Amino acid sequence: MNAPVKGAAARAEGGAPYGGIEAEDQGFLELDLMALYRTLRKRLGVIMGVTVGLTALVMVVVLQQTPLYTAEAQILLDRQKMQVTDMQAVMSGLSPDSATVDSEVEILRSRTLAARVIETLDLVQDPEFNGALREPSMLRWLDPRVWIGTALSLIEAEPLPQSEDVRARAELNGVINSVLGRLTVTRQRLTYVINISFVSENPAKAARIANSLADLYILDQLEAKFDATRQANDWLSRRLAELRQQVQDSERAVEIYRTEEGLESSAAGVTVSEQQLSELNAQLILARTSLAEAEAKYSRAQQIRRSGGTIESMADVVQSTTISQLRQKQAELARELANLASKYGPRHPEIVNAEAQRRDIERQIGSEINRIVGSLENNVSVAQTRVGALEDSLREIRGEAGTGNQAMIQLRELEREAAANRAVYESFLNRFKETSQQQDFQTPDSRVISAATPPVNPSHPRKALSLALALVLSGMLGVGLAFLLEHLDNGLQTGRDVEQALGLPHLVSLPATPAEKGADGKVMSPQDYLLVKPLSAFSESLRSLRSALQLSNVDNPPTVILFTSALPNEGKTTTSAGFARAAAASGLKVALVDCDLRHPSVHKAFGLKRPEAGLVELLAERLDLAQVLIRDPKSELDILPIATGTANPPDVLGSTQMRLLLDRLKADYDLVVLDSAPVLPVSDSRVLSRIADETVFVVRWNETPKDAAQAAIRELRLYDANIAGAVLAVVDTAAQAKYGYGDGGYYYGKYSRYYVN
């Protein structure tokens, strides 16, 4: 029960009263597993109570809850589209990105779709979703929202009367909120699959609502496409009428302008002026070619004549039929002359006649050549005249064409505008025909891949899981409450607590005595229990305290020992009286002096009547020491009681007479025990601590506040008191065994058989 005494060493080192507190603060920096274990063991009752109580409450609530069933359907956002035609759809399909899938999830959670499900299945008339149709239940008060709503209804003024439509909308909104509260729509990881889960009290109803939501979602997609196609057709129809009128107006403007400006076109698509200009250009080119050819021929003939050459080699001469015939006659006549010359002489009439014919033929050839040359000259003149006429006509036509160019520019502008209007009209007409065909054929972008089926087992409440969670959470709450109570606990339970909190050696832990009756039938006081049970833990603790005080100063053991405490009723008088009687029972000559001049209680501890004379009368020198001493009827202990008080207790206790009295008692007795007043209320004990050899500070187990004990120690140190250590009094040994692992009291159960209690 006792701990190693180190009071003298602590005083020699000038140990600060808060040294233990500093050590405790440093302990927070490290995880003390044994401290955690001590706390849990100490507050095991609180932990078990909170755990069992809350778990039982949770299970009662769980067992009272209505079973709920969860049905799940799955929808696939289909990326593969059936392409019947090559036409572009009015409303494009869903894109495969993640944002689109998340958007479809939000559509499935929308209030609009929930309202359609409610309308389809008539859920407004279902009491499960319409709170107005449900009967009141006690479990509804477990919902905090019911409390808040009730409080608000009491606080708010009387509501104004509502119309039937407003009440119907409010009722529908409540049903929508209830349905959405039971609905869970999630995307299955990174796939295009969407899970639709619905919770209901009826498994078939849960499956029916989940499937209805999936079907209405797909139907909503089809209706959206039908609406988009119908709106597109209506718009295209109106737009086509406008474009048709624009095309007619633009084409009419082209024809009117062409007629007004005389810009009629030929079959080839060009105007008359352009066609005439083109033809004249072609004729002028041919005429100039003919002129050049005629001039070349005529120039060649002139050149041959000037050079004295024969002109008969020219192509026109060679090609002349007349000259060919004359040359043929000339050849025949030459053969004839040759025959005649062989027969006749030059004067022969036939020869003369033949010569005359030859000369006539040559004259004819010459005349024909001259005619051909003259014809070449005439051809040149004709060609020149024709070229000039064509050039005049061309200039005239070009003048007319230049005048019509400005009109042609405007005409082409009108034609381009008409062509553009025609192209737009044809494009819209084609698109209108495509959308008209699509209106009767639309496919959804989603499909149900797994329809919801009525579940067999309820999904809520999960009794096993609820029990496990209740145990874990209530256990955690109990542990948290235990640590909170430990943190708020300001008492001292173990010797370690005393040393850490007060910075004093723990001298001994003094157990509380059991409530046993003595021979007279009354409950024994601790002082009587000491004598009746000399081998008890209480008696052994007092003997250990005396040994500890003697070892605190081996060379000069203390004789005058002061017992004090921080506050009243902390076991100070019981400890000092028991200590004195135990010392007297061991054979020492002991004097017990009651120094509490304000509330004396030593005589009560020994069952004595209040004396007529005591310490005050002795110090006033009105009586002798032998006259005021009282012998303990059950031991050899001498008691110096207090009969009357005084107006100035500190002055009396710190007087010279008090010092002389203590010197006399030290000379006559082996041990002088002083029982004084508490430290904090009055200064009596502080004064006595200066004249006592050692001061024992008594702390009541688990009741003395740490801050009060620390303040008392601080006050004693201000008076230079020699504090031997602290006694932990009135200890519940059974409870202390739970608190102080590593402390002596923790092992009380193992060595308790050495005591005879």
Side-chain angles (χ1 to χ4, degrees), residues 171-284:
E171 185 179 25
L172 178 60
N173 286 331
V175 176
I176 290 175
N177 293 333
S178 179
V179 169
L180 291 178
R182 306 285 189 94
L183 176 65
T184 302
V185 182
T186 57
R187 179 184 181 184
Q188 188 167 340
R189 295 185 295 276
L190 297 179
T191 64
Y192 299 104
V193 177
I194 298 178
N195 298 325
I196 302 175
S197 301
F198 194 82
V199 179
S200 175
E201 299 173 1
N202 187 294
K205 186 191 300 181
R208 184 168 62 253
I209 294 177
N211 289 329
S212 177
L213 183 67
D215 294 338
L216 289 176
Y217 166 71
I218 295 176
L219 180 61
D220 181 72
Q221 287 185 342
L222 287 175
E223 290 178 350
K225 290 190 174 184
F226 280 126
D227 291 341
T229 305
R230 184 176 61 254
Q231 293 175 6
N233 283 338
D234 294 342
W235 182 82
L236 286 173
S237 179
R238 294 191 300 270
R239 185 59 179 158
L240 279 174
E242 297 174 359
L243 292 175
R244 186 182 300 109
Q245 187 63 39
Q246 290 180 4
V247 171
Q248 292 175 357
D249 293 342
S250 59
E251 290 182 346
R252 186 179 297 109
V254 169
E255 296 302 327
I256 292 173
Y257 187 80
R258 179 182 288 116
T259 302
E260 290 177 351
E261 297 295 330
L263 301 177
E264 292 82 359
S265 59
S266 63
V270 296
T271 63
V272 176
S273 298
E274 290 177 346
Q275 185 177 4
Q276 291 176 353
L277 187 61
S278 176
E279 292 176 355
L280 286 175
N281 278 325
Q283 292 177 11
L284 180 59

Side-chain angles (χ1 to χ4, degrees), residues 395-457:
R395 281 192 294 269
E396 182 180 356
I397 295 300
R398 282 178 177 174
E400 295 176 358
T403 304
N405 282 339
Q406 297 298 324
M408 286 299 299
I409 293 174
Q410 182 65 27
L411 177 63
R412 292 191 184 97
E413 179 66 25
L414 294 174
E415 289 177 342
R416 284 194 296 270
E417 182 178 356
N421 290 337
R422 190 181 305 107
V424 173
Y425 173 74
E426 292 175 353
S427 175
F428 272 76
L429 182 60
N430 293 332
R431 186 57 178 159
F432 175 74
K433 292 180 179 179
E434 290 179 358
T435 55
S436 298
Q437 296 299 323
Q438 291 177 5
Q439 187 170 3
D440 298 330
F441 182 77
Q442 294 290 348
T443 58
D445 296 318
S446 306
R447 58 188 175 93
V448 177
I449 60 174
S450 177
T453 57
V456 178
N457 299 319

Side-chain angles (χ1 to χ4, degrees), residues 2 28 188 325 344 377 432 436 478 564 624 642 693 750:
N2 59 337
F28 280 112
Q188 188 167 340
Q325 292 175 356
Y344 306 105
E377 183 179 3
F432 175 74
S436 298
T564 186
D624 188 61
I642 293 178
D693 295 338
K750 296 184 177 180

Side-chain angles (χ1 to χ4, degrees), residues 43 82 200 297 307 357-358 366 474 540 590 620 646 672 751:
R43 306 290 180 180
M82 183 173 59
S200 175
K297 289 180 178 181
S307 62
Q357 290 179 2
R358 181 179 65 81
S474 60
E540 185 61 32
V590 183
T646 180
V672 179
Y751 57 72

Side-chain angles (χ1 to χ4, degrees), residues 220 288 328 407 474 479 519 527 529 661 750:
D220 181 72
R288 286 177 176 174
Q328 185 177 2
S474 60
V479 171
Q527 293 77 21
Y529 185 84
L661 174 62
K750 296 184 177 180

Side-chain angles (χ1 to χ4, degrees), residues 536-723:
S536 64
F538 180 76
S539 303
E540 185 61 32
S541 298
L542 292 175
R543 286 190 288 269
S544 298
L545 175 60
R546 181 159 51 85
S547 300
L549 292 174
Q550 290 177 350
L551 293 175
S552 64
N553 192 344
V554 179
D555 297 331
N556 188 17
T559 302
V560 180
I561 301 175
L562 172 67
F563 283 83
T564 186
S565 63
L567 299 172
N569 300 321
E570 294 189 347
K572 163 182 58 63
T573 300
T574 300
T575 303
S576 60
F579 177 75
R581 179 175 274 186
S586 65
L588 296 178
K589 189 176 182 181
V590 183
L592 174 60
V593 182
D594 190 351
C595 297
D596 192 349
L597 298 177
R598 304 170 193 269
H599 297 283
S601 58
V602 170
H603 64 283
K604 298 179 182 179
F606 290 95
L608 303 175
K609 296 181 180 180
R610 183 143 187 178
E612 297 179 357
L615 178 63
V616 176
E617 290 76 12
L618 177 62
L619 295 179
E621 298 181 351
R622 293 196 295 268
L623 296 174
D624 188 61
L625 178 61
Q627 294 177 304
V628 296
L629 285 176
I630 300 175
R631 176 59 59 93
D632 179 13
K634 298 181 181 181
S635 68
E636 299 298 323
L637 173 65
D638 290 333
I639 303 172
L640 181 55
I642 293 178
T644 58
T646 180
N648 298 306
D651 296 337
V652 173
L653 296 177
S655 63
T656 303
Q657 288 81 359
M658 185 66 182
R659 293 178 181 272
L660 293 175
L661 174 62
L662 292 179
D663 291 340
R664 181 179 175 182
L665 292 175
K666 288 173 64 176
D668 295 340
Y669 292 90
D670 298 326
L671 191 62
V672 179
V673 180
L674 306 180
D675 179 52
S676 66
V679 175
L680 293 181
V682 294
S683 60
D684 302 0
S685 298
R686 308 172 202 172
V687 174
L688 285 174
S689 66
R690 304 187 68 175
I691 58 179
D693 295 338
E694 294 286 354
T695 299
V696 176
F697 189 76
V698 179
V699 177
R700 188 178 182 90
W701 180 84
N702 205 29
E703 289 192 13
T704 302
K706 291 181 183 179
D707 50 357
Q710 292 168 351
I713 296 299
R714 183 166 58 248
E715 294 294 334
L716 291 175
R717 291 190 184 278
L718 292 177
Y719 281 78
D720 296 329
N722 294 326
I723 305 175

Side-chain angles (χ1 to χ4, degrees), residues 34 64 85 99 167 226 248 264 300 339 350 360 371 411 430 435 476 479 565 598 629 746 754:
M34 300 314 302
Q64 292 297 323
T85 63
R167 286 195 296 270
F226 280 126
Q248 292 175 357
E264 292 82 359
R300 178 60 179 167
N339 291 330
E350 290 184 8
D360 184 56
R371 187 189 64 79
L411 177 63
N430 293 332
T435 55
M476 293 173 61
V479 171
S565 63
R598 304 170 193 269
L629 285 176
Y746 178 78
Y754 283 90

